[in-house]
Amino acid sequence: MCRRYATLSLEGDLALDRPATFTILNFPVANIEQAVDDLARYGVQFESYHEGDLVTDEKGIFRGGGPKIAWFKDPAGNLLSVLEQEE
């Protein structure tokens, strides 16, 4: 016997067969420098941006206003980030 418990309905331009073009998950951290250093030691490669107002430093951290953030990709190519929370 098979029972249906939920139905997923997707609308718009969401494509499940290719990576998202936007950040899909932010991981809040207390210290972005430490988080980036720790993840880099495990082989995580951070994205580098140099377009208009979106400029990251040599570690891949954006410091251009608002919270400090660094983006990286998961194995499927989706964008994730670590985001420093202000106290």
Side-chain angles (χ1 to χ4, degrees):
M1 175 194 278
C2 178
R3 294 184 183 189
R4 182 181 294 188
Y5 292 100
T7 300
L8 176 62
S9 176
L10 303 173
E11 297 181 19
D13 294 333
L14 181 63
L16 300 177
D17 62 339
R18 61 182 176 267
T21 57
F22 51 87
T23 306
I24 63 168
L25 185 61
N26 294 309
F27 294 97
V29 296
N31 182 320
I32 198 163
E33 298 279 344
Q34 186 68 50
V36 167
D37 290 345
D38 290 346
L39 290 168
R41 274 194 288 280
Y42 283 101
V44 173
Q45 296 180 355
F46 288 87
E47 298 296 297
S48 178
Y49 297 106
H50 300 284
E51 303 169 10
D53 292 335
L54 181 58
V55 177
T56 54
D57 65 15
E58 66 281 348
K59 288 186 172 187
I61 301 172
F62 173 74
R63 302 169 189 272
K68 296 175 191 169
I69 185 169
W71 293 273
F72 58 99
K73 292 183 178 176
D74 69 9
N78 295 299
L79 283 170
L80 310 174
S81 75
V82 286
L83 177 77
E84 185 172 284
Q85 298 220 318
E86 296 180 17
E87 294 183 20

Coordinates of all heavy atoms in Angstrom, one line a residue:
M1 N 0.8 -1.2 0.0 CA 0.0 0.0 0.0 C 0.9 1.2 0.0 O 1.9 1.3 0.7 CB -0.9 0.0 1.2 CG -1.7 1.3 1.3 SD -2.5 1.5 2.9 CE -3.9 0.5 2.8
C2 N 0.6 2.2 -0.8 CA 1.3 3.5 -0.9 C 0.4 4.6 -0.5 O -0.7 4.7 -1.0 CB 1.8 3.7 -2.3 SG 2.7 5.2 -2.6
R3 N 0.9 5.5 0.4 CA 0.1 6.6 0.8 C 0.8 7.9 0.5 O 2.1 8.0 0.6 CB -0.1 6.6 2.3 CG -1.0 5.4 2.8 CD -1.2 5.5 4.2 NE -2.0 4.3 4.6 CZ -2.5 4.2 5.8 NH1 -2.4 5.1 6.7 NH2 -3.2 3.1 6.1
R4 N 0.1 8.9 0.1 CA 0.7 10.2 -0.3 C 0.5 11.1 0.9 O -0.6 11.3 1.4 CB 0.0 10.8 -1.5 CG 0.6 12.1 -1.9 CD -0.1 12.7 -3.0 NE 0.1 11.9 -4.2 CZ -0.3 12.2 -5.4 NH1 -0.9 13.3 -5.6 NH2 0.0 11.4 -6.4
Y5 N 1.7 11.6 1.4 CA 1.6 12.4 2.6 C 1.8 13.9 2.3 O 1.4 14.8 3.0 CB 2.7 12.0 3.6 CG 2.4 10.7 4.2 CD1 3.0 9.6 3.8 CD2 1.5 10.6 5.3 CE1 2.7 8.3 4.4 CE2 1.2 9.4 5.9 CZ 1.8 8.2 5.4 OH 1.5 7.1 6.0
A6 N 2.5 14.2 1.2 CA 2.8 15.6 0.8 C 3.0 15.7 -0.7 O 3.4 14.7 -1.4 CB 4.1 16.1 1.5
T7 N 2.7 16.8 -1.2 CA 2.8 17.1 -2.6 C 3.7 18.4 -2.7 O 3.4 19.4 -2.0 CB 1.5 17.4 -3.3 OG1 0.7 16.2 -3.2 CG2 1.7 17.7 -4.8
L8 N 4.7 18.3 -3.5 CA 5.6 19.5 -3.7 C 5.2 20.1 -5.1 O 5.2 19.5 -6.1 CB 7.1 19.0 -3.8 CG 8.1 20.1 -4.1 CD1 8.1 21.1 -3.0 CD2 9.5 19.5 -4.2
S9 N 4.9 21.4 -5.0 CA 4.6 22.1 -6.2 C 5.6 23.3 -6.4 O 5.7 24.1 -5.5 CB 3.1 22.7 -6.1 OG 2.8 23.5 -7.2
L10 N 6.2 23.3 -7.5 CA 7.2 24.3 -7.8 C 6.8 25.2 -8.9 O 6.3 24.7 -10.0 CB 8.6 23.7 -8.1 CG 9.2 22.7 -7.1 CD1 10.4 22.1 -7.6 CD2 9.5 23.5 -5.8
E11 N 6.9 26.5 -8.8 CA 6.6 27.4 -9.8 C 7.7 28.4 -10.1 O 8.6 28.5 -9.3 CB 5.3 28.2 -9.4 CG 4.1 27.4 -9.1 CD 2.9 28.3 -8.7 OE1 2.9 29.5 -9.0 OE2 2.0 27.7 -8.1
G12 N 7.7 29.0 -11.2 CA 8.7 30.0 -11.6 C 9.9 29.3 -12.3 O 9.8 28.3 -12.9
D13 N 11.1 30.0 -12.1 CA 12.3 29.6 -12.8 C 13.2 28.6 -12.0 O 14.3 28.4 -12.3 CB 13.1 30.8 -13.2 CG 12.4 31.7 -14.2 OD1 11.6 31.1 -14.9 OD2 12.7 32.9 -14.2
L14 N 12.6 28.0 -11.0 CA 13.4 27.1 -10.2 C 13.7 25.8 -11.0 O 12.8 25.2 -11.5 CB 12.7 26.7 -8.9 CG 13.4 25.8 -7.9 CD1 14.7 26.4 -7.4 CD2 12.5 25.4 -6.8
A15 N 15.0 25.5 -11.1 CA 15.4 24.3 -11.8 C 16.1 23.4 -10.9 O 17.1 23.8 -10.2 CB 16.2 24.6 -13.0
L16 N 15.7 22.1 -10.7 CA 16.3 21.2 -9.8 C 17.5 20.4 -10.5 O 18.1 19.7 -9.8 CB 15.3 20.2 -9.3 CG 14.1 20.9 -8.5 CD1 13.1 19.9 -8.1 CD2 14.6 21.7 -7.3
D17 N 17.7 20.6 -11.8 CA 18.7 19.9 -12.5 C 20.0 20.7 -12.7 O 20.9 20.2 -13.3 CB 18.2 19.4 -13.8 CG 17.8 20.6 -14.7 OD1 17.6 21.7 -14.2 OD2 17.7 20.4 -16.0
R18 N 20.1 21.9 -12.1 CA 21.3 22.7 -12.2 C 21.4 23.5 -10.9 O 20.5 23.8 -10.2 CB 21.3 23.5 -13.4 CG 20.2 24.5 -13.5 CD 20.2 25.3 -14.8 NE 19.1 26.2 -14.9 CZ 18.0 25.9 -15.5 NH1 17.8 24.8 -16.1 NH2 17.0 26.8 -15.6
P19 N 22.7 24.0 -10.6 CA 22.9 24.7 -9.4 C 22.1 26.0 -9.4 O 21.9 26.7 -10.4 CB 24.4 25.0 -9.4 CG 25.0 24.0 -10.4 CD 23.9 23.7 -11.4
A20 N 21.8 26.5 -8.2 CA 21.1 27.8 -8.0 C 22.1 28.9 -8.4 O 23.3 28.8 -8.2 CB 20.6 27.9 -6.6
T21 N 21.6 30.0 -8.8 CA 22.4 31.2 -9.1 C 22.4 32.2 -8.0 O 22.9 33.3 -8.2 CB 21.9 31.8 -10.5 OG1 20.6 32.2 -10.3 CG2 22.1 30.9 -11.6
F22 N 21.9 31.8 -6.9 CA 21.8 32.7 -5.7 C 22.2 31.9 -4.5 O 22.3 30.7 -4.5 CB 20.4 33.3 -5.6 CG 19.3 32.2 -5.6 CD1 19.0 31.5 -4.4 CD2 18.7 31.8 -6.8 CE1 18.0 30.5 -4.5 CE2 17.8 30.8 -6.8 CZ 17.4 30.1 -5.7
T23 N 22.5 32.6 -3.4 CA 22.8 32.0 -2.1 C 21.6 31.2 -1.6 O 20.6 31.8 -1.4 CB 23.3 33.0 -1.1 OG1 24.3 33.8 -1.7 CG2 23.8 32.3 0.1
I24 N 21.8 29.9 -1.4 CA 20.7 29.1 -1.0 C 20.7 28.8 0.5 O 19.7 28.5 1.1 CB 20.6 27.7 -1.7 CG1 21.8 26.9 -1.5 CG2 20.3 28.0 -3.2 CD1 21.6 25.4 -1.9
L25 N 21.8 29.1 1.2 CA 21.9 28.8 2.6 C 23.0 29.6 3.2 O 24.2 29.7 2.7 CB 22.2 27.3 2.9 CG 22.2 26.8 4.3 CD1 20.8 27.1 5.0 CD2 22.5 25.4 4.4
N26 N 22.7 30.4 4.3 CA 23.7 31.1 5.1 C 24.0 30.4 6.4 O 23.0 30.1 7.1 CB 23.2 32.6 5.4 CG 23.0 33.4 4.1 OD1 23.9 33.5 3.3 ND2 21.9 34.0 4.0
F27 N 25.2 30.3 6.7 CA 25.6 29.7 8.0 C 26.1 30.9 8.9 O 27.1 31.5 8.6 CB 26.7 28.7 7.9 CG 26.3 27.5 7.1 CD1 26.6 27.4 5.8 CD2 25.7 26.4 7.8 CE1 26.3 26.2 5.1 CE2 25.3 25.3 7.1 CZ 25.6 25.2 5.7
P28 N 25.3 31.3 9.9 CA 25.7 32.4 10.8 C 26.9 32.0 11.7 O 27.0 30.8 12.2 CB 24.5 32.7 11.7 CG 23.6 31.5 11.5 CD 24.0 30.8 10.3
V29 N 27.9 32.8 11.7 CA 29.1 32.6 12.5 C 29.4 33.8 13.4 O 29.1 34.9 13.1 CB 30.3 32.2 11.7 CG1 30.1 30.9 10.9 CG2 30.7 33.4 10.7
A30 N 30.1 33.6 14.5 CA 30.5 34.7 15.4 C 31.7 35.4 14.9 O 31.8 36.6 15.0 CB 30.7 34.2 16.8
N31 N 32.6 34.7 14.2 CA 33.9 35.3 13.7 C 34.1 34.8 12.3 O 34.5 33.6 12.2 CB 35.0 34.9 14.7 CG 36.3 35.6 14.3 OD1 36.7 35.7 13.1 ND2 37.1 36.0 15.3
I32 N 33.9 35.6 11.3 CA 34.0 35.2 9.9 C 35.5 34.8 9.6 O 35.7 33.9 8.8 CB 33.4 36.2 8.9 CG1 33.2 35.5 7.6 CG2 34.3 37.4 8.8 CD1 32.3 36.2 6.7
E33 N 36.4 35.6 10.1 CA 37.9 35.3 9.9 C 38.2 33.9 10.3 O 38.8 33.1 9.5 CB 38.8 36.3 10.6 CG 38.6 37.7 10.2 CD 39.3 38.1 8.9 OE1 40.2 37.3 8.5 OE2 39.0 39.1 8.4
Q34 N 37.8 33.5 11.5 CA 38.1 32.2 12.0 C 37.3 31.1 11.2 O 37.9 30.1 10.9 CB 37.7 32.1 13.5 CG 38.1 30.8 14.1 CD 39.6 30.6 14.3 OE1 40.2 31.5 14.7 NE2 40.1 29.5 13.8
A35 N 36.1 31.4 10.9 CA 35.3 30.4 10.1 C 35.9 30.1 8.7 O 36.0 29.0 8.3 CB 33.9 30.9 10.0
V36 N 36.3 31.2 8.0 CA 36.9 31.1 6.7 C 38.2 30.3 6.8 O 38.5 29.4 6.0 CB 37.1 32.5 6.1 CG1 38.0 32.4 4.8 CG2 35.7 33.0 5.7
D37 N 39.1 30.7 7.8 CA 40.3 30.0 8.0 C 40.1 28.5 8.3 O 40.8 27.6 7.7 CB 41.2 30.6 9.1 CG 41.7 32.0 8.8 OD1 41.7 32.4 7.6 OD2 42.1 32.7 9.7
D38 N 39.2 28.2 9.1 CA 38.9 26.8 9.5 C 38.4 26.0 8.3 O 38.9 24.9 8.0 CB 37.9 26.7 10.6 CG 38.4 27.2 12.0 OD1 39.7 27.3 12.1 OD2 37.6 27.4 12.9
L39 N 37.5 26.6 7.5 CA 36.9 25.9 6.4 C 38.0 25.7 5.3 O 38.1 24.7 4.6 CB 35.7 26.6 5.8 CG 34.5 26.5 6.7 CD1 33.4 27.5 6.3 CD2 33.9 25.1 6.7
A40 N 38.8 26.7 5.1 CA 39.9 26.7 4.1 C 40.9 25.5 4.4 O 41.3 24.8 3.5 CB 40.6 28.0 4.0
R41 N 41.1 25.3 5.7 CA 42.0 24.2 6.1 C 41.4 22.9 5.7 O 42.1 21.9 5.5 CB 42.3 24.3 7.6 CG 43.4 25.2 8.0 CD 43.9 25.0 9.4 NE 43.0 25.5 10.4 CZ 42.9 26.7 10.8 NH1 43.6 27.6 10.2 NH2 42.0 27.1 11.7
Y42 N 40.1 22.8 5.6 CA 39.4 21.6 5.2 C 39.2 21.5 3.7 O 38.6 20.6 3.2 CB 38.1 21.4 5.9 CG 38.2 21.0 7.3 CD1 38.1 21.9 8.4 CD2 38.4 19.6 7.6 CE1 38.2 21.5 9.7 CE2 38.6 19.2 9.0 CZ 38.4 20.1 10.0 OH 38.6 19.7 11.3
G43 N 39.8 22.5 3.0 CA 39.7 22.4 1.5 C 38.6 23.2 0.9 O 38.5 23.2 -0.4
V44 N 37.8 23.9 1.6 CA 36.8 24.8 1.1 C 37.4 25.9 0.3 O 38.3 26.6 0.8 CB 35.8 25.3 2.2 CG1 34.8 26.3 1.6 CG2 35.1 24.1 2.8
Q45 N 37.0 26.1 -0.9 CA 37.5 27.2 -1.7 C 36.4 28.3 -1.8 O 35.3 28.0 -2.2 CB 37.8 26.8 -3.1 CG 39.0 25.8 -3.1 CD 39.3 25.3 -4.5 OE1 38.7 25.6 -5.5 NE2 40.4 24.5 -4.6
F46 N 36.8 29.5 -1.4 CA 35.8 30.6 -1.4 C 35.8 31.4 -2.7 O 36.8 31.4 -3.4 CB 36.1 31.6 -0.2 CG 35.8 30.9 1.1 CD1 36.7 30.1 1.8 CD2 34.5 31.1 1.7 CE1 36.4 29.5 3.0 CE2 34.2 30.5 2.9 CZ 35.1 29.7 3.5
E47 N 34.6 31.9 -3.0 CA 34.4 32.6 -4.3 C 35.1 33.9 -4.2 O 35.3 34.5 -3.1 CB 32.9 32.8 -4.5 CG 32.2 31.5 -4.7 CD 32.6 30.7 -5.9 OE1 32.5 31.2 -7.0 OE2 33.1 29.6 -5.7
S48 N 35.5 34.4 -5.3 CA 36.2 35.7 -5.5 C 35.3 36.6 -6.4 O 35.0 36.2 -7.5 CB 37.6 35.6 -6.0 OG 38.2 36.8 -6.2
Y49 N 35.0 37.8 -5.9 CA 34.1 38.7 -6.7 C 34.8 40.0 -6.8 O 35.4 40.5 -5.9 CB 32.7 38.8 -6.1 CG 31.9 37.6 -6.1 CD1 31.7 36.9 -4.9 CD2 31.4 37.0 -7.2 CE1 31.0 35.7 -4.8 CE2 30.6 35.9 -7.2 CZ 30.5 35.2 -6.0 OH 29.7 34.1 -5.9
H50 N 34.8 40.6 -8.0 CA 35.4 41.9 -8.3 C 34.5 42.6 -9.3 O 35.0 42.9 -10.4 CB 36.8 41.8 -8.7 CG 37.7 41.1 -7.7 ND1 38.1 41.8 -6.6 CD2 38.2 39.9 -7.6 CE1 38.9 41.0 -5.8 NE2 38.9 39.8 -6.4
E51 N 33.2 42.8 -9.0 CA 32.3 43.4 -10.0 C 31.6 44.5 -9.3 O 30.7 44.3 -8.4 CB 31.3 42.3 -10.5 CG 32.0 41.1 -11.1 CD 31.0 39.9 -11.3 OE1 29.8 40.1 -11.2 OE2 31.5 38.8 -11.6
G52 N 31.8 45.7 -9.8 CA 31.1 46.9 -9.2 C 31.3 47.0 -7.7 O 32.4 47.0 -7.2
D53 N 30.2 47.0 -7.0 CA 30.2 47.1 -5.5 C 30.5 45.8 -4.8 O 30.7 45.8 -3.6 CB 28.9 47.7 -5.0 CG 28.7 49.2 -5.4 OD1 29.8 49.9 -5.6 OD2 27.6 49.6 -5.4
L54 N 30.5 44.7 -5.6 CA 30.7 43.4 -5.0 C 32.1 43.0 -5.1 O 32.6 42.5 -6.2 CB 29.8 42.4 -5.6 CG 29.9 40.9 -5.1 CD1 29.6 40.9 -3.6 CD2 29.0 40.0 -5.9
V55 N 32.9 43.3 -4.1 CA 34.4 43.0 -4.1 C 34.7 42.3 -2.8 O 34.4 42.7 -1.7 CB 35.2 44.3 -4.2 CG1 36.7 44.0 -4.2 CG2 34.8 45.1 -5.5
T56 N 35.4 41.1 -3.0 CA 35.8 40.3 -1.9 C 37.3 40.5 -1.7 O 38.0 40.8 -2.7 CB 35.5 38.8 -2.1 OG1 36.0 38.4 -3.3 CG2 34.0 38.6 -2.1
D57 N 37.8 40.3 -0.5 CA 39.2 40.4 -0.2 C 40.0 39.1 -0.6 O 39.4 38.2 -1.2 CB 39.5 40.8 1.2 CG 39.1 39.8 2.2 OD1 38.8 38.6 1.9 OD2 39.0 40.2 3.4
E58 N 41.2 39.0 -0.3 CA 42.1 37.9 -0.7 C 41.6 36.6 0.0 O 41.8 35.5 -0.6 CB 43.5 38.1 -0.3 CG 43.8 38.2 1.2 CD 43.5 39.5 1.8 OE1 43.3 40.5 1.1 OE2 43.5 39.6 3.0
K59 N 40.8 36.6 1.1 CA 40.2 35.4 1.7 C 38.9 35.1 1.1 O 38.3 34.0 1.4 CB 40.1 35.6 3.2 CG 41.4 35.6 3.9 CD 41.1 35.6 5.4 CE 42.4 35.4 6.2 NZ 42.0 35.3 7.7
G60 N 38.3 36.0 0.3 CA 36.9 35.8 -0.2 C 35.9 36.4 0.6 O 34.7 36.1 0.5
I61 N 36.2 37.3 1.5 CA 35.3 38.0 2.4 C 34.8 39.3 1.9 O 35.7 40.1 1.5 CB 35.9 38.2 3.8 CG1 36.3 36.8 4.5 CG2 34.9 38.9 4.8 CD1 37.1 36.9 5.8
F62 N 33.5 39.5 1.8 CA 32.9 40.8 1.4 C 32.8 41.6 2.6 O 32.2 41.2 3.6 CB 31.6 40.6 0.7 CG 30.8 41.8 0.4 CD1 31.2 42.6 -0.6 CD2 29.8 42.2 1.2 CE1 30.6 43.8 -0.9 CE2 29.1 43.4 0.9 CZ 29.5 44.2 -0.1
R63 N 33.4 42.9 2.6 CA 33.3 43.8 3.7 C 32.8 45.1 3.3 O 33.1 46.1 3.9 CB 34.7 44.0 4.2 CG 35.4 42.7 4.7 CD 36.9 42.9 4.9 NE 37.6 41.7 5.1 CZ 37.8 41.1 6.3 NH1 37.3 41.6 7.3 NH2 38.5 40.0 6.3
G64 N 31.9 45.2 2.3 CA 31.5 46.4 1.7 C 30.2 47.0 2.2 O 29.5 47.6 1.5
G65 N 30.0 46.8 3.5 CA 28.7 47.3 4.1 C 27.8 46.2 4.4 O 27.7 45.2 3.7
G66 N 27.1 46.3 5.5 CA 26.3 45.2 6.0 C 27.1 44.2 6.6 O 28.3 44.4 7.0
P67 N 26.6 43.0 6.8 CA 27.3 41.9 7.5 C 28.5 41.4 6.6 O 28.4 41.4 5.4 CB 26.3 40.8 7.7 CG 25.2 41.1 6.7 CD 25.2 42.5 6.5
K68 N 29.6 41.0 7.2 CA 30.7 40.4 6.5 C 30.2 39.0 6.1 O 29.5 38.3 6.8 CB 31.9 40.2 7.4 CG 32.5 41.6 7.8 CD 33.6 41.3 8.8 CE 34.0 42.6 9.4 NZ 34.9 42.4 10.6
I69 N 30.5 38.6 4.8 CA 30.0 37.4 4.2 C 31.0 36.8 3.3 O 31.8 37.5 2.6 CB 28.6 37.6 3.5 CG1 28.0 36.3 3.0 CG2 28.8 38.6 2.4 CD1 26.6 36.4 2.6
A70 N 31.1 35.5 3.2 CA 32.0 34.8 2.3 C 31.2 33.6 1.7 O 30.6 32.9 2.4 CB 33.3 34.3 3.0
W71 N 31.3 33.6 0.4 CA 30.5 32.5 -0.4 C 31.4 31.4 -0.8 O 32.6 31.6 -1.1 CB 29.9 33.2 -1.6 CG 28.9 34.2 -1.3 CD1 27.5 33.9 -1.2 CD2 29.0 35.6 -1.3 NE1 26.8 35.1 -1.0 CE2 27.7 36.1 -1.0 CE3 30.1 36.4 -1.4 CZ2 27.5 37.5 -0.9 CZ3 29.9 37.8 -1.2 CH2 28.6 38.3 -1.0
F72 N 30.8 30.2 -0.8 CA 31.5 29.0 -1.4 C 30.5 28.1 -2.0 O 29.3 28.4 -1.8 CB 32.3 28.3 -0.3 CG 31.5 27.9 0.9 CD1 31.0 26.5 1.0 CD2 31.1 28.7 1.9 CE1 30.3 26.1 2.1 CE2 30.4 28.3 3.0 CZ 29.9 27.0 3.1
K73 N 30.9 27.1 -2.7 CA 29.9 26.2 -3.4 C 29.9 24.8 -2.8 O 31.0 24.3 -2.3 CB 30.3 26.1 -4.9 CG 30.0 27.4 -5.6 CD 30.3 27.3 -7.1 CE 30.0 28.6 -7.8 NZ 30.3 28.6 -9.2
D74 N 28.8 24.2 -2.7 CA 28.7 22.8 -2.3 C 29.1 21.9 -3.5 O 29.3 22.4 -4.6 CB 27.3 22.5 -1.8 CG 26.2 22.5 -2.8 OD1 26.5 22.6 -4.0 OD2 25.0 22.4 -2.4
P75 N 29.2 20.6 -3.3 CA 29.6 19.7 -4.4 C 28.7 19.8 -5.6 O 29.2 19.5 -6.7 CB 29.6 18.3 -3.8 CG 29.8 18.6 -2.3 CD 29.1 19.9 -2.0
A76 N 27.5 20.2 -5.5 CA 26.6 20.3 -6.6 C 26.7 21.7 -7.3 O 26.0 21.9 -8.3 CB 25.1 20.1 -6.2
G77 N 27.5 22.6 -6.8 CA 27.7 23.9 -7.4 C 26.7 25.0 -6.8 O 26.8 26.1 -7.3
N78 N 25.9 24.7 -5.8 CA 25.1 25.7 -5.2 C 25.9 26.6 -4.3 O 26.8 26.2 -3.7 CB 24.0 25.0 -4.4 CG 23.0 24.2 -5.2 OD1 22.4 24.7 -6.1 ND2 23.0 22.9 -4.9
L79 N 25.5 27.9 -4.3 CA 26.2 28.9 -3.5 C 25.7 28.8 -2.0 O 24.5 28.9 -1.7 CB 25.9 30.3 -4.0 CG 26.7 30.7 -5.2 CD1 26.2 32.0 -5.8 CD2 28.2 30.8 -4.9
L80 N 26.6 28.7 -1.1 CA 26.4 28.8 0.3 C 27.3 29.9 0.9 O 28.1 30.4 0.2 CB 26.8 27.4 1.0 CG 26.3 26.2 0.3 CD1 26.9 25.0 1.0 CD2 24.8 26.1 0.4
S81 N 27.0 30.3 2.1 CA 27.9 31.3 2.7 C 28.0 31.2 4.2 O 27.2 30.5 4.8 CB 27.3 32.7 2.4 OG 26.2 33.0 3.2
V82 N 29.1 31.8 4.7 CA 29.2 32.0 6.1 C 29.0 33.5 6.3 O 29.5 34.3 5.5 CB 30.6 31.6 6.7 CG1 30.6 30.1 6.8 CG2 31.7 32.1 5.9
L83 N 28.2 33.9 7.3 CA 27.8 35.3 7.5 C 28.0 35.6 9.0 O 27.5 35.0 9.9 CB 26.3 35.3 7.2 CG 25.6 36.6 7.4 CD1 25.9 37.6 6.2 CD2 24.0 36.4 7.4
E84 N 28.8 36.7 9.2 CA 29.1 37.1 10.5 C 28.0 37.9 11.1 O 27.5 38.8 10.5 CB 30.4 38.0 10.6 CG 30.8 38.3 12.0 CD 32.2 39.0 12.0 OE1 33.2 38.3 11.9 OE2 32.2 40.2 12.2
Q85 N 27.5 37.4 12.2 CA 26.4 38.1 12.9 C 26.9 39.1 13.8 O 27.9 38.9 14.6 CB 25.6 37.0 13.7 CG 25.0 36.0 12.8 CD 23.6 35.7 13.3 OE1 23.3 35.5 14.5 NE2 22.7 35.5 12.4
E86 N 26.3 40.3 13.8 CA 26.7 41.4 14.6 C 26.1 41.2 16.0 O 24.9 40.7 16.1 CB 26.3 42.7 14.0 CG 27.0 43.0 12.7 CD 26.5 44.3 12.1 OE1 26.0 45.2 12.9 OE2 26.8 44.6 11.0
E87 N 26.8 41.5 17.0 CA 26.3 41.4 18.4 C 25.6 42.6 18.8 O 25.7 43.6 18.4 CB 27.4 41.0 19.3 CG 28.0 39.7 19.0 CD 29.1 39.3 20.0 OE1 29.2 39.9 21.1 OE2 30.0 38.5 19.6

